[in-house]
Coordinates of all heavy atoms in Angstrom, one line a residue:
M18 N 118.0 66.1 105.9 CA 116.6 66.3 106.3 C 115.8 65.0 106.2 O 115.9 64.3 105.2 CB 116.0 67.4 105.5 CG 114.6 67.7 105.9 SD 113.8 69.0 105.0 CE 115.0 70.3 105.0
S19 N 115.1 64.6 107.2 CA 114.3 63.4 107.2 C 113.1 63.5 106.3 O 112.7 64.5 105.9 CB 113.9 63.0 108.6 OG 112.9 63.9 109.0
E20 N 112.6 62.3 105.9 CA 111.4 62.3 105.0 C 110.2 62.9 105.8 O 109.5 63.6 105.1 CB 111.1 60.8 104.7 CG 109.9 60.7 103.8 CD 109.7 59.2 103.4 OE1 110.6 58.4 103.6 OE2 108.5 59.0 103.0
T21 N 110.1 62.7 107.1 CA 109.0 63.3 107.9 C 109.1 64.8 107.8 O 108.1 65.5 107.6 CB 109.1 62.9 109.3 OG1 109.0 61.4 109.4 CG2 107.9 63.4 110.1
S22 N 110.4 65.4 107.9 CA 110.5 66.8 107.9 C 110.2 67.4 106.5 O 109.5 68.4 106.4 CB 112.0 67.2 108.2 OG 112.3 66.9 109.5
E23 N 110.6 66.7 105.5 CA 110.3 67.1 104.1 C 108.8 67.2 103.9 O 108.3 68.1 103.3 CB 111.0 66.2 103.1 CG 112.5 66.4 103.0 CD 113.1 65.5 102.1 OE1 112.5 65.0 101.2 OE2 114.4 65.3 102.2
K24 N 108.1 66.2 104.4 CA 106.6 66.1 104.2 C 106.0 67.3 104.9 O 105.1 68.0 104.4 CB 106.0 64.8 104.7 CG 106.3 63.7 103.8 CD 105.7 62.4 104.3 CE 106.0 61.3 103.4 NZ 105.5 60.0 103.9
R25 N 106.5 67.6 106.1 CA 105.9 68.7 106.9 C 106.1 70.0 106.2 O 105.3 70.9 106.1 CB 106.5 68.8 108.3 CG 105.9 69.9 109.1 CD 106.5 69.9 110.5 NE 107.9 70.2 110.5 CZ 108.8 69.6 111.3 NH1 108.4 68.8 112.2 NH2 110.1 69.9 111.2
Y26 N 107.3 70.2 105.7 CA 107.6 71.5 104.9 C 106.8 71.6 103.7 O 106.3 72.7 103.4 CB 109.1 71.5 104.5 CG 110.0 71.7 105.7 CD1 111.2 71.0 105.8 CD2 109.7 72.6 106.8 CE1 112.1 71.2 106.9 CE2 110.5 72.8 107.8 CZ 111.7 72.1 107.9 OH 112.5 72.2 109.0
K27 N 106.5 70.6 103.0 CA 105.7 70.6 101.8 C 104.3 71.1 102.1 O 103.7 71.7 101.2 CB 105.7 69.3 101.0 CG 107.1 69.0 100.4 CD 107.1 67.7 99.7 CE 108.4 67.4 99.1 NZ 108.5 66.2 98.4
V28 N 103.8 70.8 103.3 CA 102.4 71.2 103.6 C 102.4 72.7 103.7 O 101.4 73.3 103.3 CB 102.0 70.6 105.0 CG1 100.8 71.3 105.6 CG2 101.9 69.1 104.9
H29 N 103.5 73.4 104.1 CA 103.5 74.8 104.2 C 103.8 75.6 103.0 O 103.8 76.8 103.0 CB 104.4 75.2 105.4 CG 104.0 74.6 106.7 ND1 102.9 75.2 107.4 CD2 104.4 73.6 107.4 CE1 102.7 74.5 108.5 NE2 103.6 73.5 108.5
Q30 N 104.3 75.0 102.0 CA 104.7 75.8 100.8 C 103.5 76.1 99.9 O 102.5 75.3 99.9 CB 105.8 75.1 100.0 CG 105.3 73.8 99.3 CD 106.5 73.0 98.8 OE1 107.6 73.0 99.4 NE2 106.4 72.4 97.7
E31 N 103.5 77.2 99.2 CA 102.4 77.6 98.4 C 102.4 77.1 96.9 O 101.4 77.1 96.2 CB 102.4 79.1 98.4 CG 102.1 79.7 99.7 CD 102.1 81.2 99.7 OE1 102.0 81.8 98.7 OE2 102.2 81.8 100.8
D32 N 103.6 76.6 96.5 CA 103.7 76.1 95.1 C 104.5 74.8 95.2 O 104.8 74.3 96.2 CB 104.3 77.1 94.2 CG 105.7 77.5 94.6 OD1 106.4 76.7 95.1 OD2 106.0 78.7 94.4
D33 N 104.9 74.3 94.0 CA 105.6 73.0 94.0 C 107.1 73.1 94.1 O 107.8 72.2 94.0 CB 105.3 72.3 92.6 CG 103.9 71.8 92.6 OD1 103.3 71.5 93.7 OD2 103.3 71.7 91.5
S34 N 107.6 74.4 94.3 CA 109.1 74.5 94.5 C 109.4 74.0 95.9 O 108.7 73.9 96.8 CB 109.4 76.0 94.4 OG 108.9 76.8 95.4
N35 N 110.7 73.7 96.0 CA 111.2 73.1 97.2 C 111.5 74.3 98.2 O 112.2 75.2 97.9 CB 112.6 72.4 97.0 CG 113.1 71.6 98.1 OD1 112.6 71.8 99.3 ND2 114.0 70.8 97.9
P36 N 110.9 74.3 99.4 CA 111.1 75.4 100.4 C 112.5 75.4 101.0 O 112.9 76.4 101.5 CB 110.1 75.1 101.5 CG 109.9 73.6 101.4 CD 110.1 73.2 100.0
T37 N 113.2 74.3 100.9 CA 114.7 74.3 101.2 C 115.4 74.0 100.0 O 115.1 73.1 99.2 CB 115.0 73.3 102.3 OG1 114.7 72.0 101.8 CG2 114.2 73.5 103.6
R38 N 116.4 74.9 99.7 CA 117.2 74.7 98.4 C 118.7 75.0 98.7 O 119.0 75.7 99.6 CB 116.7 75.5 97.3 CG 116.6 77.0 97.6 CD 115.8 77.7 96.5 NE 115.5 79.1 96.9 CZ 114.5 79.5 97.6 NH1 113.6 78.7 98.1 NH2 114.4 80.8 97.9
P39 N 119.5 74.3 98.0 CA 121.0 74.5 98.2 C 121.4 76.0 98.1 O 120.8 76.7 97.2 CB 121.6 73.7 97.1 CG 120.6 72.7 96.7 CD 119.3 73.4 96.9
L40 N 122.3 76.4 98.9 CA 122.8 77.8 98.9 C 124.3 77.8 98.8 O 124.9 78.7 99.4 CB 122.2 78.6 100.1 CG 122.4 80.1 100.1 CD1 121.6 80.7 98.9 CD2 121.9 80.6 101.4
G41 N 124.8 76.8 98.1 CA 126.3 76.8 98.0 C 127.0 76.5 99.3 O 126.5 75.7 100.1
D42 N 128.0 77.3 99.6 CA 128.8 77.1 100.8 C 128.1 77.5 102.1 O 128.5 77.1 103.1 CB 130.2 77.8 100.7 CG 131.1 77.2 99.6 OD1 130.9 76.0 99.3 OD2 131.9 78.0 99.1
A43 N 127.1 78.4 101.9 CA 126.4 78.9 103.1 C 125.4 77.9 103.7 O 124.9 78.1 104.7 CB 125.6 80.2 102.7
G44 N 125.1 76.8 103.0 CA 124.2 75.8 103.5 C 122.9 75.8 102.8 O 122.8 76.2 101.6
A45 N 121.8 75.5 103.5 CA 120.5 75.4 102.9 C 119.7 76.7 103.2 O 120.0 77.4 104.2 CB 119.7 74.2 103.4
M46 N 118.8 77.1 102.3 CA 117.9 78.2 102.6 C 116.5 77.7 102.9 O 116.0 76.8 102.3 CB 117.9 79.1 101.3 CG 117.0 80.3 101.4 SD 116.8 81.3 99.9 CE 118.5 81.8 99.7
I47 N 115.9 78.4 103.8 CA 114.5 78.0 104.2 C 113.8 79.3 104.5 O 114.3 80.3 105.0 CB 114.5 77.1 105.5 CG1 113.1 76.6 105.8 CG2 115.1 77.8 106.7 CD1 113.0 75.5 106.8
T48 N 112.5 79.4 104.0 CA 111.8 80.6 104.2 C 111.3 80.8 105.7 O 111.1 79.8 106.4 CB 110.5 80.7 103.3 OG1 109.6 79.6 103.7 CG2 110.9 80.5 101.8
S49 N 111.2 82.0 106.1 CA 110.7 82.2 107.5 C 109.3 81.7 107.7 O 109.0 81.3 108.8 CB 110.8 83.7 107.9 OG 110.0 84.5 107.0
D50 N 108.5 81.7 106.7 CA 107.1 81.2 106.8 C 107.2 79.7 107.2 O 106.4 79.2 108.1 CB 106.3 81.3 105.5 CG 106.0 82.8 105.2 OD1 106.0 83.6 106.1 OD2 105.7 83.0 104.0
V51 N 108.1 78.9 106.5 CA 108.2 77.5 106.8 C 108.8 77.3 108.2 O 108.3 76.5 109.0 CB 109.0 76.8 105.8 CG1 109.4 75.4 106.2 CG2 108.3 76.8 104.4
L52 N 109.8 78.1 108.6 CA 110.4 78.0 109.9 C 109.5 78.3 111.0 O 109.4 77.6 112.0 CB 111.7 78.9 109.9 CG 112.5 78.8 111.1 CD1 113.1 77.4 111.3 CD2 113.6 79.8 111.1
M53 N 108.8 79.4 110.9 CA 107.9 79.9 111.9 C 106.6 79.2 112.0 O 105.9 79.2 113.1 CB 107.7 81.4 111.8 CG 108.9 82.3 111.8 SD 109.9 82.1 113.3 CE 109.0 83.1 114.4
Q54 N 106.1 78.6 111.0 CA 104.9 77.8 110.9 C 103.7 78.6 111.5 O 102.9 78.0 112.3 CB 105.1 76.5 111.7 CG 106.1 75.6 111.0 CD 106.2 74.3 111.7 OE1 105.4 73.9 112.6 NE2 107.3 73.5 111.4
G55 N 103.6 79.8 111.1 CA 102.4 80.6 111.6 C 102.5 81.2 113.0 O 101.7 81.9 113.4
Q56 N 103.7 81.0 113.6 CA 103.9 81.5 115.0 C 104.6 82.8 114.9 O 105.4 83.1 113.9 CB 104.7 80.5 115.8 CG 104.1 79.2 115.9 CD 102.8 79.2 116.7 OE1 102.6 79.8 117.7 NE2 101.7 78.6 116.1
R57 N 104.5 83.7 115.9 CA 105.3 84.9 115.9 C 106.6 84.7 116.7 O 107.5 85.5 116.6 CB 104.5 86.0 116.7 CG 103.2 86.4 116.1 CD 103.3 87.1 114.8 NE 103.9 88.4 114.9 CZ 104.2 89.2 113.9 NH1 104.0 88.8 112.7 NH2 104.8 90.4 114.1
E58 N 106.7 83.6 117.4 CA 108.0 83.4 118.2 C 108.2 81.9 118.2 O 107.2 81.1 118.5 CB 107.9 83.9 119.6 CG 109.1 83.8 120.4 CD 109.0 84.5 121.7 OE1 108.8 85.8 121.7 OE2 109.2 83.9 122.7
I59 N 109.4 81.4 118.1 CA 109.8 80.0 118.3 C 111.0 79.9 119.1 O 111.8 80.9 119.2 CB 110.0 79.3 116.9 CG1 111.1 79.9 116.1 CG2 108.7 79.2 116.1 CD1 111.6 79.1 114.9
V60 N 111.3 78.8 119.7 CA 112.5 78.5 120.4 C 113.4 77.5 119.6 O 112.9 76.5 119.1 CB 112.2 78.0 121.8 CG1 113.5 77.6 122.5 CG2 111.4 78.9 122.6
I61 N 114.6 77.9 119.4 CA 115.6 77.1 118.7 C 116.6 76.6 119.7 O 117.2 77.4 120.4 CB 116.3 77.8 117.6 CG1 115.3 78.4 116.5 CG2 117.4 77.0 116.9 CD1 115.9 79.3 115.5
V62 N 116.8 75.3 119.8 CA 117.8 74.7 120.7 C 119.0 74.4 120.0 O 119.0 73.7 118.9 CB 117.2 73.4 121.4 CG1 118.3 72.8 122.3 CG2 115.9 73.7 122.1
H63 N 120.1 75.0 120.4 CA 121.4 74.8 119.8 C 122.5 74.6 120.8 O 122.7 75.4 121.7 CB 121.8 76.1 118.9 CG 123.1 76.0 118.3 ND1 123.5 75.2 117.3 CD2 124.3 76.7 118.6 CE1 124.8 75.3 117.0 NE2 125.3 76.2 117.8
D64 N 123.1 73.4 120.7 CA 124.2 73.1 121.6 C 123.8 73.3 123.1 O 124.6 73.8 123.9 CB 125.4 74.0 121.3 CG 126.7 73.4 121.8 OD1 126.8 72.2 122.1 OD2 127.7 74.2 122.0
G65 N 122.6 72.8 123.4 CA 122.1 72.9 124.8 C 121.6 74.2 125.3 O 121.1 74.3 126.4
S66 N 121.6 75.2 124.4 CA 121.1 76.5 124.8 C 119.8 76.8 124.0 O 119.7 76.4 122.8 CB 122.1 77.6 124.5 OG 123.2 77.5 125.3
N67 N 118.9 77.6 124.6 CA 117.7 78.0 124.0 C 117.8 79.4 123.4 O 118.3 80.3 124.1 CB 116.5 78.0 124.9 CG 116.1 76.6 125.4 OD1 116.5 75.7 124.8 ND2 115.3 76.6 126.4
Y68 N 117.4 79.5 122.2 CA 117.4 80.8 121.5 C 116.0 81.1 121.0 O 115.3 80.3 120.5 CB 118.3 80.8 120.3 CG 119.8 80.6 120.6 CD1 120.3 79.4 120.9 CD2 120.6 81.7 120.7 CE1 121.6 79.2 121.2 CE2 122.0 81.6 121.1 CZ 122.5 80.3 121.3 OH 123.8 80.1 121.6
R69 N 115.5 82.4 121.2 CA 114.2 82.8 120.8 C 114.3 83.6 119.5 O 115.0 84.5 119.4 CB 113.5 83.6 121.8 CG 113.2 82.9 123.1 CD 112.3 83.7 124.0 NE 112.1 82.9 125.2 CZ 111.2 81.9 125.3 NH1 110.5 81.6 124.3 NH2 111.1 81.3 126.5
L70 N 113.6 83.1 118.5 CA 113.5 83.8 117.2 C 112.1 84.4 117.1 O 111.1 83.6 117.2 CB 113.7 82.9 116.0 CG 113.7 83.5 114.6 CD1 114.8 84.6 114.5 CD2 113.8 82.4 113.6
R71 N 112.0 85.7 117.0 CA 110.6 86.3 116.9 C 110.5 87.3 115.8 O 111.5 87.8 115.4 CB 110.2 86.9 118.3 CG 111.0 88.1 118.6 CD 110.5 88.7 120.0 NE 111.2 89.8 120.4 CZ 110.9 91.1 120.1 NH1 109.7 91.3 119.5 NH2 111.6 92.1 120.5
I72 N 109.2 87.5 115.4 CA 108.9 88.4 114.4 C 108.4 89.7 115.1 O 107.5 89.6 115.9 CB 107.9 87.9 113.4 CG1 108.4 86.6 112.7 CG2 107.5 89.0 112.4 CD1 107.3 85.9 111.8
T73 N 109.0 90.8 114.8 CA 108.6 92.1 115.5 C 107.4 92.7 114.9 O 106.9 92.2 113.8 CB 109.7 93.1 115.4 OG1 109.9 93.5 114.1 CG2 111.1 92.6 116.0
S74 N 106.9 93.7 115.5 CA 105.7 94.4 114.9 C 106.0 95.1 113.6 O 105.2 95.4 112.8 CB 105.1 95.4 115.9 OG 106.2 96.3 116.2
N75 N 107.3 95.3 113.3 CA 107.8 95.9 112.1 C 108.1 94.8 111.0 O 108.8 95.1 110.1 CB 109.0 96.8 112.3 CG 108.6 98.0 113.0 OD1 107.5 98.5 112.9 ND2 109.5 98.6 113.9
N76 N 107.8 93.5 111.4 CA 108.0 92.4 110.5 C 109.5 92.1 110.3 O 109.9 91.6 109.2 CB 107.3 92.5 109.1 CG 107.0 91.2 108.6 OD1 106.7 90.2 109.3 ND2 107.0 91.1 107.2
K77 N 110.3 92.4 111.3 CA 111.8 92.0 111.3 C 112.0 90.8 112.2 O 111.1 90.5 113.1 CB 112.6 93.2 111.9 CG 112.4 94.5 111.2 CD 112.9 94.5 109.8 CE 112.8 95.9 109.2 NZ 113.1 95.9 107.8
L78 N 113.1 90.1 112.0 CA 113.4 88.9 112.8 C 114.4 89.3 113.8 O 115.4 90.0 113.5 CB 114.0 87.8 111.9 CG 113.0 87.1 111.0 CD1 113.7 86.1 110.1 CD2 111.9 86.4 111.7
I79 N 114.2 88.8 115.0 CA 115.2 89.1 116.1 C 115.5 87.7 116.8 O 114.6 87.0 117.2 CB 114.7 90.1 117.2 CG1 114.5 91.4 116.6 CG2 115.6 90.1 118.4 CD1 114.0 92.5 117.5
L80 N 116.8 87.4 116.9 CA 117.2 86.2 117.6 C 117.9 86.6 118.9 O 118.9 87.4 118.9 CB 118.2 85.4 116.7 CG 118.7 84.1 117.2 CD1 117.6 83.0 117.4 CD2 119.8 83.5 116.4
T81 N 117.4 86.0 120.0 CA 118.0 86.3 121.3 C 118.3 85.0 122.1 O 117.6 84.1 121.9 CB 117.1 87.2 122.2 OG1 115.8 86.6 122.3 CG2 117.0 88.6 121.6
K82 N 119.3 85.1 122.9 CA 119.6 83.9 123.8 C 118.9 84.1 125.1 O 118.6 85.1 125.6 CB 121.1 83.9 124.0 CG 121.5 82.6 124.7 CD 123.0 82.5 124.7 CE 123.4 81.1 125.4 NZ 124.8 80.9 125.4

């Protein structure tokens, strides 16, 4: 993670804990609040394809291609 990314994430956290933390073999953990940055829907680009991650009215996450 770049220094710029780390600074941006720190703006969105509510305490001094790290919003991304090691999760063993599974990789890093990041909260949905940090990922979504106040939005209800974001687009994630992976391997040249766009994926939409959205928060439903029931506060669930849905990822679609």
Side-chain angles (χ1 to χ4, degrees):
M18 183 177 310
S19 70
E20 184 178 340
T21 305
S22 296
E23 288 178 20
K24 287 181 181 177
R25 182 178 61 218
Y26 291 139
K27 288 181 181 179
V28 169
H29 296 285
Q30 68 190 38
E31 295 178 15
D32 59 36
D33 291 333
S34 65
N35 189 347
T37 59
R38 53 191 174 274
L40 192 62
D42 292 336
M46 180 185 294
I47 186 167
T48 64
S49 59
D50 292 339
V51 171
L52 184 62
M53 302 301 284
Q54 297 182 13
Q56 302 297 310
R57 300 290 296 173
E58 184 173 303
I59 62 170
V60 175
I61 300 170
V62 179
H63 174 70
D64 199 24
S66 296
N67 291 345
Y68 295 82
R69 294 190 181 279
L70 180 64
R71 69 181 179 94
I72 301 173
T73 69
S74 57
N75 291 327
N76 208 32
K77 305 290 183 188
L78 291 174
I79 295 182
L80 180 67
T81 56
K82 185 168 184 182

